[in-house]
Amino acid sequence: RKEVEQDPGPFNVPEGATVAFNCTYSNSASQSFFWYRQDCRKEPKLLMSVYSSGNEDGRFTAQLNRASQYISLLIRDSKLSDSATYLCVVPSGSGYALNFGKGTSLLVTP
Amino acid sequence: EAQVTQNPRYLITVTGKKLTVTCSQNMNHEYMSWYRQDPGLGLRQIYYSMNVEVTDKGDVPEGYKVSRKEKRNFPLILESPSPNQTSLYFCASSPHGGGAKYGYTFGSGTRLTVV
């Protein structure tokens, strides 16, 4: 299994829709997880950190399932400005680096 | 403003001409790292540094060098660039350890083209 795997998408959803992305990881010892957002040709920006079973921030909810080794990101009431690539990030086996998934592309349409 | 600053933002160079991409952070972070991003391959780590004078290879170190003489600076050196090093490069920093707990703050990126 690859260290971090994501469905590349693209996910095309209308404004106001709810969309969910999943990410699976191989390092069972990982304690912290992250979702980053990356706009085209720009730097990734931290969206959410996940340390326990889940985390909620406004319209965004991240959930962690350690038994199945997957993380999900739920976006409610999608906005046009949510269109971006979402990167799932998991610490490496050494813990000294972060492994990035290849990203899931989201396009929110009017 | 807390930030990671990379320079240059864009660079076109010729094969074999040595170049340096600079990275500086003003957050007193211990950990710094370089990534390259290529279509279909995602972000791959080149080198990282746990602190001053402590560096180590990432997943794709071939053809690159780094140094960490000061806490704030972590330059990426391409001694003899080749076309396969054409890529989008990001510098990142984190307060401690490996960023495994705090996540990274990224610079704005350097788009390098080697012809």
Side-chain angles (χ1 to χ4, degrees), chain A residues 38 41-44, chain B residues 6-9 11 19 21-23 33-38 43-47 60 62-64 76-78 81-92 106-114:
Chain A
Q38 185 175 27
R41 301 185 177 209
K42 294 193 174 181
E43 74 272 24
Chain B
Q6 287 180 237
N7 280 296
R9 292 291 307 277
L11 178 60
L19 66 91
V21 184
T22 64
C23 175
S33 182
W34 278 101
Y35 282 81
R36 62 178 288 175
Q37 187 173 33
D38 302 287
L43 281 155
R44 295 179 293 167
Q45 191 178 47
I46 303 171
Y47 269 95
V60 289
E62 295 78 19
Y64 305 95
L76 179 69
I77 303 159
L78 284 73
S82 62
N84 65 11
Q85 292 178 297
T86 293
S87 186
L88 177 58
Y89 292 85
F90 289 106
C91 179
F106 281 87
S108 299
T110 296
R111 186 164 292 279
L112 172 66
T113 302
V114 183

Side-chain angles (χ1 to χ4, degrees), chain B residues 10-25:
Chain B
Y10 302 92
L11 178 60
I12 301 175
T13 190
V14 296
T15 299
K17 185 177 181 181
K18 181 179 178 180
L19 66 91
T20 300
V21 184
T22 64
C23 175
S24 179
Q25 49 92 6

